[in-house]
Amino acid sequence: MATADQTTGHCLCGAIRFKFDPDAVRWTCHCHCESCRRATGAPVATFISVSDTGWRWLGKSPANFASSPGVRRSFCPTCGSPVAYSTDKLPGETHLLAALLVDASAVKPEFVFADNERLPWCELVHDLPKK
């Protein structure tokens, strides 16, 4: 059973917060795509995909940026922290950034996305399927 700290998260300044039902989680993954790297400023982004009926924003609502057609990246307009990703290609789900959880230690990615775009110096040790 997930604790409240493992199902709630917030941006750097705390203005944008979210909470999700652990039963609404569809999958978790590490993403190495260039777009996610640039949006997060990190060599890899770890996402928790949550059904849109199983989570909500708390506090302020984030701002959104259309990074490409059909793609929305949500971020805090105060501190600039990226908080979520959604795409028309995967309707009904939102991908929350796992590192924003109050306690992200329980996140267990199930696969790696865009491993072909992984930076050569970013060597995560894992035996996850590549998609």
Side-chain angles (χ1 to χ4, degrees):
M1 182 72 145
T3 67
D5 285 351
Q6 295 166 339
T7 60
T8 59
H10 59 84
C11 65
L12 181 61
C13 73
I16 306 296
R17 298 184 323 274
F18 59 84
K19 179 173 183 54
F20 62 88
D21 177 346
D23 293 331
V25 173
R26 294 182 173 190
W27 48 260
T28 59
C29 84
H30 292 310
C31 182
H32 288 284
C33 83
E34 180 182 4
S35 183
C36 285
R37 290 196 325 261
R38 292 190 182 282
T40 62
V44 62
T46 303
F47 290 103
I48 304 166
S49 174
V50 183
S51 169
D52 283 341
T53 60
W55 75 277
R56 67 183 185 278
W57 294 119
L58 306 171
K60 290 183 177 181
S61 293
N64 292 293
F65 171 67
S67 60
S68 55
V71 172
R72 290 157 304 288
R73 294 185 182 272
S74 300
F75 63 95
C76 176
T78 302
C79 68
S81 295
V83 294
Y85 167 94
S86 60
T87 176
D88 292 347
K89 292 179 182 178
L90 297 169
E93 63 187 72
T94 296
H95 308 151
L96 303 169
L97 281 153
L100 300 180
L101 292 174
V102 173
D103 176 9
S105 65
V107 173
K108 296 198 185 315
E110 300 165 43
F111 62 89
V112 174
F113 186 76
D115 190 63
N116 61 320
E117 295 182 48
R118 179 179 50 85
L119 295 170
W121 51 263
C122 181
E123 295 184 29
L124 298 177
V125 178
H126 52 66
D127 293 322
L128 300 174
K130 313 294 191 278
K131 294 187 179 186

